[in-house]
Amino acid sequence: DRCVVGMVLSLAVYFEIDDQRLEAIAENLLAELMPDGAWNCRRNRRPRPTHSSFHTTFNVLEGLRDYIELRNPPLRQEILAAEQRALELLLQHKLFRSDKTGQVIDEKFTHLAYPPRWHYDVLRGLVYFARVNALHDPRLQDAIDLLNNRRRKDGCWPVQQKYSGKVFFDMEKTGGPSRWNTLRALRVLRWWNAH
């Protein structure tokens, strides 16, 4: 499962695990690219998917980005090239729309979650573009507009959905203001407005 492999890579480099298998993980992720330029954890299942998954792609991108930022591996150029192909695919979809019809792919993509776990949403996508200091691209404008429209009157962004999984304490309530989403949104807007 490419989602899990991307998360394992991210955790391993974050916790400074020194293991030659990390390069093998990165090589494997690069070998698993879909023809459209990103990743899908169902790639080898039947029926075979023809399109990458936003969920899988962001788990893989985050793992590979952590790997090149924290390790400076020999595969750096190949990883950066794969990242650019994946980001181009996401731009073709304006981060949440069908590239064929312009309709929202999945309504959940437009609802801000924290923590996102393995799920994708527009804020997670924008955070990644800001993280890599991507060039200002007009195809991101719909996502930026959506982000601005999610801002509450008190200046904060909400948690609009939560995903199941074990938690030890609940920091924020669904529907209420979110410190984490607000921090992430403000970072995105700082990057966007600086271009």
Side-chain angles (χ1 to χ4, degrees):
D1 188 314
R2 301 306 93 200
C3 285
V4 174
V5 174
M7 289 185 276
V8 165
L9 181 59
S10 184
L11 290 168
V13 297
Y14 179 83
F15 288 106
E16 300 179 0
I17 295 172
D18 189 19
D19 192 308
Q20 63 189 11
R21 290 176 289 184
L22 295 181
E23 189 169 336
I25 290 173
E27 287 173 354
N28 174 263
L29 290 171
L30 292 173
E32 290 292 324
L33 275 164
M34 297 278 294
D36 63 3
W39 292 269
N40 191 320
C41 62
R42 298 179 175 275
R43 180 176 184 207
N44 296 316
R45 296 186 189 156
R46 302 238 184 261
R48 292 200 173 207
T50 58
H51 200 286
S52 293
S53 159
F54 283 31
H55 304 295
T56 305
T57 295
F58 274 91
N59 286 301
V60 170
L61 282 175
E62 289 168 354
L64 289 171
R65 175 51 66 166
D66 289 342
Y67 183 54
I68 63 172
E69 287 179 356
L70 298 172
R71 291 292 170 93
N72 194 24
L75 294 171
R76 181 179 180 78
Q77 292 309 312
E78 293 90 339
I79 291 169
L80 290 172
E83 178 184 70
Q84 287 308 306
R85 287 192 304 275
L87 294 180
E88 177 57 32
L89 175 72
L90 298 160
L91 285 169
Q92 290 170 10
H93 289 84
K94 298 182 177 180
L95 298 192
F96 66 104
R97 296 187 178 280
S98 166
D99 61 336
K100 309 273 189 292
T101 67
Q103 298 297 311
V104 173
I105 295 168
D106 184 337
E107 197 62 36
K108 289 181 180 178
F109 287 3
T110 68
H111 298 168
L112 311 181
Y114 198 84
R117 299 185 185 267
W118 59 267
H119 302 274
Y120 171 80
D121 65 42
V122 168
L123 180 54
R124 187 172 182 192
L126 287 169
V127 164
Y128 194 86
F129 275 83
R131 175 183 183 182
V132 300
N133 197 25
L135 295 176
H136 198 275
D137 191 302
R139 294 174 289 181
L140 292 171
Q141 189 64 56
D142 279 358
I144 292 291
D145 291 344
L146 186 143
L147 182 64
N148 281 321
N149 289 333
R150 293 290 189 253
R151 194 171 198 173
R152 297 162 38 110
K153 289 180 183 177
D154 63 6
C156 296
W157 280 263
V159 171
Q160 295 179 297
Q161 62 188 348
K162 289 196 177 184
Y163 295 104
S164 62
K166 186 173 186 167
V167 294
F168 295 97
F169 56 90
D170 195 13
M171 289 180 45
E172 301 174 333
K173 300 208 178 300
T174 304
S178 168
R179 291 171 286 191
W180 289 108
N181 282 345
T182 298
L183 174 65
R184 296 184 314 139
L186 289 172
R187 285 179 176 164
V188 164
L189 294 177
R190 181 177 59 200
W191 158 75
W192 182 254
N193 294 327
H195 283 65

